[in-house]
Amino acid sequence: MPELRPAADFLDDAHAILRRERARLDELLAQPHELLLVGGSSVPGALTKGDVDLHLRVAAPDFRPVVAALTDVYEVVLPEIWQDTLATFAVEAPLPTGVAVTPAGSEHDLRFTRTWERLAADPALVEAYNDIKLRHRDDPGEYERHKSAFFDSLL
């Protein structure tokens, strides 16, 4: 795993990427949408490798048309994890950046919104998150397993 650093080191750049992508999506999408900064880089006390995670929320009926539109501007990533309520893309940006698209109110939407909101509001949860990252930084499979269980506990 790359070196972990405090998210505060990346927060200004992450917010600049968020603003740029909001402007891009406002021009591209006719459908109502909301683009959020989530992930480790969104929580100042969290440890991160410096990647930026964006979450695009759309109304359920707009999910498929929005995903189709995004395939023209973003690179599809991890198509094997795509589901009826999740699509993922890479965003060309100064930091490694991805965007996950979900219908508002779906299971994936709640996972992205609630977990990061709860984590950002509770320093003890940030400490627990950082501990998982530190303990399993050399074993990505174990890290993902423990992180997933931790996030499940936040729902």
Side-chain angles (χ1 to χ4, degrees):
M1 180 179 276
E3 177 187 355
L4 295 173
R5 294 176 33 203
D9 291 357
F10 302 99
L11 204 52
D12 289 342
D13 291 332
H15 279 284
I17 292 167
L18 175 66
R19 286 189 300 274
R20 187 191 76 195
E21 293 310 310
R22 278 182 175 160
R24 175 192 271 184
L25 294 175
D26 286 347
E27 289 183 21
L28 174 71
L29 300 176
Q31 301 89 341
H33 58 276
E34 179 182 25
L35 187 65
L36 305 171
L37 177 63
V38 296
S41 294
S42 71
V43 179
L47 293 175
T48 179
K49 59 186 183 228
D51 58 325
V52 175
D53 297 315
L54 302 175
H55 173 207
L56 179 62
R57 305 175 75 223
V58 299
D62 296 331
F63 179 73
R64 289 190 191 282
V66 166
V67 169
L70 294 182
T71 61
D72 292 335
V73 294
Y74 295 139
E75 176 188 349
V76 170
V77 294
L78 302 171
E80 66 276 9
I81 70 164
W82 282 34
Q83 297 179 25
D84 290 338
T85 60
L86 176 67
T88 52
F89 298 90
V91 177
E92 191 171 312
L95 293 174
T97 302
V99 61
V101 185
T102 67
S106 69
E107 175 186 348
H108 289 100
D109 173 59
L110 295 176
R111 186 171 186 85
F112 287 120
T113 55
R114 282 188 185 165
T115 55
W116 289 106
E117 286 172 355
R118 288 199 58 208
L119 206 127
D122 187 338
L125 292 176
V126 174
E127 188 176 324
Y129 171 77
N130 288 343
D131 183 59
I132 291 167
K133 279 203 155 187
L134 291 169
R135 276 189 292 129
H136 303 290
R137 68 176 149 211
D138 296 325
D139 188 342
E142 279 298 296
Y143 166 70
E144 286 301 325
R145 188 172 70 76
H146 285 273
K147 181 179 108 176
S148 181
F150 174 69
F151 276 42
D152 286 347
S153 75
L154 298 179
L155 289 174

